[in-house]
Amino acid sequence: MKFPTDFYFGGATAAFQTEGAVKEGNKGEVLWEPFLKKQGRFDPEPACDFYHRYPEDLKLSGDFGLNSIRISIAWTRIFPTGSGQPEQAGVDYYHNMFAECRKNGIEPFVTLHHFDTPEALHQTGDWLNEENITKFVDYAKFCFQEFSEINYWITINEPTSMAVQQYTTGTFPPGEKYNFHKTFQAEHNLNLAHARVVNEFRKLQISGQIGVVHALQTVYPFDSTKKGDMHAAKLQDVLDNRLFLDGTLGGEYSQETLSLMNEILAANDQAKISITDSEMVELKQASDQLDFVGVNYYFSKYMKEYHGISETIHNGTGKKGSSISRLQGIGESGVPDGIEMTDWDWPINPQGLYDQLERIHTNYPKVQDIYITENGLGLKEEKPAENEILDDSKRIDYIKIHLQEVLRAIENGINVKGYFVWSLQDMFSWTNGYSKRYGLFFVDFDTQKRYPKKSAYWFKELTETKELSKTK
């Protein structure tokens, strides 16, 4: 089984996690900066200094056989407070960086929002404030018209991660917990923001393609013979996946989706969310005009019936077995015997990737193309000795078993067009700082020197042969 000749093999990045230079070029503050400062755990400056070192990273990409990159525009480099007059330094920076992509034979897939709302807008309610949705649309329209060299646009990265971690688990700013009303309202509003951007893209007759990227965690019952576990899996799926898939890919929320969402709200004595008929018209219009969906997949979840109060502990240190997830009105996460776990308590299950691809293909047939926009393995790694290559065989094995599922999907008629490994280089992590490394290229954060890992050489071999069986 070979990958198609026009298949995209890329590395994935995000502006705030790579660029550093958080004040350079009159860049505005994003919601993470005061949040991280208050925590006192991590400093996002200088990350891996992509702002200054992108020529080196893009050359490495080309040298190692990558033909694409996922990259995001920092909203506050263009509009420091989220709106107003564009900042020319930011505009020039992205034009120059996109030109460097072309110089190295790299196709940029550009994300408009990757977890980095301007702090000025976060303070006014973030995605819960409809005025901020309007400002996001205005920013998107500016980018579409200004950066005409871009062929692939992504509206929003992982809206589920934003909404759930902002208001349910509390790991993203503002750090609220168990507010399911705000979580689901933010999820719907993110669907609406995405839809309005897609509809404007079409109205402006922009050339190129537009899509959205979802983090999909395939949810299974812990024990498929137990009705309670099966129902808990459905409830968790609505929170993590289904509201977004229905809203962005289907253009309507099924009655079962709405019923499950309202069951969660009722179980927590929280009010129903606001959804208007006119908003649903916008979602439908956008779903009819969407070119592709990106799937970010790392792990699956296994749900048990649970009737207690909510309790979550996030593993942000890599201490295996330290995480807890029990949500009132939903269920409790567990892991069946025999499933390998990462140090961050993520169950490794490549079948879950195939199941999500098949689900999209079967349940949301409007979608033409699918990309794996993130997939990879975070590891604790030390700088290799001089003239040695860091042996990250675990990462190679992880990527390989997931790519086998991508090939199986393609063979079964599912139109997967590309695979982007998270991440291109080691970078800053939102909740782990610099301890969790995903990159094909090791970054010494003291010197910012790059070292290709064994996985980079393996990936180069894959891009040349297009065959997993030919890689070693």
Side-chain angles (χ1 to χ4, degrees):
M1 291 194 297
K2 290 185 73 167
F3 289 96
T5 54
D6 61 350
F7 196 81
Y8 281 114
F9 285 107
T13 71
F16 191 72
Q17 293 180 264
T18 60
E19 286 180 356
V22 296
K23 303 296 183 192
E24 203 158 330
N26 199 34
K27 182 181 182 293
E29 192 173 53
V30 306
L31 74 169
W32 283 95
E33 289 167 82
F35 185 74
L36 291 168
K37 190 174 182 180
K38 186 178 178 182
Q39 286 185 336
R41 295 175 67 206
F42 312 125
D43 186 350
E45 179 71 80
C48 58
D49 197 28
F50 186 73
Y51 185 83
H52 298 105
R53 294 174 182 267
Y54 68 81
E56 179 183 356
D57 285 337
L58 292 171
K59 184 177 187 304
L60 275 171
S61 297
D63 288 348
F64 278 81
L66 304 181
N67 60 7
S68 52
I69 187 171
R70 260 200 78 201
I71 219 150
S72 71
I73 292 174
W75 187 347
T76 55
R77 284 207 191 280
I78 308 297
F79 297 102
T81 61
S83 60
Q85 287 296 114
E87 177 56 55
Q88 193 60 42
V91 173
D92 292 344
Y93 166 72
Y94 288 110
H95 276 305
N96 292 335
M97 192 251 286
F98 298 148
E100 196 73 20
C101 288
R102 300 284 179 218
K103 178 180 164 185
N104 288 279
I106 308 292
E107 183 72 48
F109 284 62
V110 178
T111 305
L112 290 163
H113 188 284
H114 197 125
F115 299 166
D116 55 353
T117 301
E119 171 63 7
L121 304 189
H122 177 64
Q123 287 296 325
T124 64
D126 214 325
W127 298 103
L128 297 172
N129 181 347
E130 192 158 340
E131 289 182 9
N132 292 337
I133 297 176
T134 301
K135 289 174 180 175
F136 176 61
V137 174
D138 290 342
Y139 150 66
K141 285 166 64 178
F142 174 85
C143 290
F144 294 150
Q145 293 173 308
E146 176 66 34
F147 302 111
S148 58
E149 64 267 45
I150 298 305
N151 298 316
Y152 296 93
W153 289 100
I154 294 162
T155 55
I156 301 171
N157 176 77
E158 294 191 8
T160 182
S161 299
M162 269 190 287
V164 171
Q165 294 192 75
Q166 284 188 299
Y167 303 115
T168 296
T169 63
T171 43
F172 279 22
E176 290 189 38
K177 280 191 161 191
Y178 318 133
N179 191 327
F180 296 98
H181 172 81
K182 282 188 179 179
T183 300
F184 283 123
Q185 189 66 64
E187 290 193 0
H188 170 66
N189 288 7
L190 282 157
N191 286 345
L192 189 60
H194 154 81
R196 288 178 178 169
V197 168
V198 170
N199 294 338
E200 284 296 331
F201 183 86
R202 295 302 178 206
K203 193 184 296 181
L204 292 168
Q205 297 184 314
I206 303 297
S207 64
Q209 297 188 16
I210 191 163
V212 65
V213 163
H214 291 308
L216 300 178
Q217 293 147 18
T218 315
V219 187
Y220 304 97
F222 185 87
D223 184 339
S224 59
T225 68
K226 293 183 177 178
K227 286 185 178 179
D229 289 9
M230 291 178 72
H231 191 62
K234 283 188 173 184
L235 291 163
Q236 185 72 46
D237 184 57
V238 161
L239 180 70
D240 284 345
N241 306 312
R242 192 161 164 175
L243 202 81
F244 286 110
L245 294 174
D246 277 9
T248 60
L249 309 188
E252 60 182 350
Y253 303 125
S254 73
Q255 283 306 121
E256 185 181 25
T257 296
L258 294 172
S259 175
L260 290 163
M261 176 181 67
N262 289 330
E263 181 183 333
I264 294 168
L265 292 168
N268 288 274
D269 296 318
Q270 295 175 17
K272 291 183 178 181
I273 70 169
S274 169
I275 303 173
T276 69
D277 290 343
S278 63
E279 290 168 351
M280 294 311 300
V281 169
E282 292 179 273
L283 296 193
K284 172 72 165 57
Q285 184 184 3
S287 69
D288 289 339
Q289 304 184 99
L290 196 67
D291 293 303
F292 65 89
V293 61
V295 174
N296 292 357
Y297 178 82
Y298 295 93
F299 64 97
S300 296
K301 288 184 178 176
Y302 304 86
M303 297 302 298
K304 301 177 181 178
E305 184 177 9
Y306 175 74
H307 298 290
I309 62 170
S310 294
E311 180 186 9
T312 56
I313 296 176
H314 172 68
N315 178 353
T317 62
K319 182 182 177 183
K320 191 179 281 191
S322 62
S323 61
I324 293 172
S325 179
R326 305 181 185 110
L327 294 176
Q328 182 171 315
I330 298 178
E332 175 181 6
S333 290
V335 183
D337 292 340
I339 293 180
E340 186 182 355
M341 302 281 284
T342 71
D343 286 340
W344 283 266
D345 297 329
W346 290 6
I348 298 174
N349 176 34
Q351 172 74 34
L353 175 56
Y354 180 86
D355 288 347
Q356 286 290 5
L357 296 175
E358 186 177 54
R359 174 192 202 176
I360 292 169
H361 179 71
T362 303
N363 295 351
Y364 303 96
K366 292 182 185 181
V367 182
Q368 298 301 307
D369 298 339
I370 304 174
Y371 294 87
I372 311 305
T373 38
E374 287 182 28
N375 177 246
L377 180 65
L379 296 170
K380 300 168 187 173
E381 295 171 326
E382 299 294 330
K383 183 174 128 179
E386 203 63 38
N387 299 320
E388 284 191 11
I389 296 170
L390 192 152
D391 186 348
D392 58 341
S393 294
K394 276 189 176 180
R395 178 171 293 113
I396 294 170
D397 292 342
Y398 178 97
I399 293 171
K400 196 168 188 176
I401 59 177
H402 286 81
L403 279 173
Q404 284 169 348
E405 297 302 314
V406 174
L407 276 172
R408 180 158 71 100
I410 292 170
E411 192 175 52
N412 291 337
I414 300 172
N415 196 27
V416 185
K417 303 273 287 182
Y419 175 93
F420 294 79
V421 63
W422 185 269
S423 54
L424 177 63
Q425 71 283 73
D426 293 338
M427 60 181 69
F428 172 76
S429 168
W430 311 99
T431 61
N432 302 278
Y434 296 94
S435 63
K436 191 178 188 183
R437 294 175 178 268
Y438 279 93
L440 296 175
F441 304 106
F442 184 94
V443 175
D444 180 343
F445 292 110
D446 292 329
T447 65
Q448 294 294 345
K449 187 174 178 182
R450 274 63 166 151
Y451 300 85
K453 302 177 189 178
K454 186 177 180 181
S455 58
Y457 291 96
W458 177 86
F459 212 75
K460 183 176 191 290
E461 195 178 356
L462 172 65
T463 63
E464 288 171 350
T465 65
K466 302 285 195 299
E467 289 187 66
L468 274 177
S469 59
K470 295 277 181 73
T471 60
K472 299 172 185 175

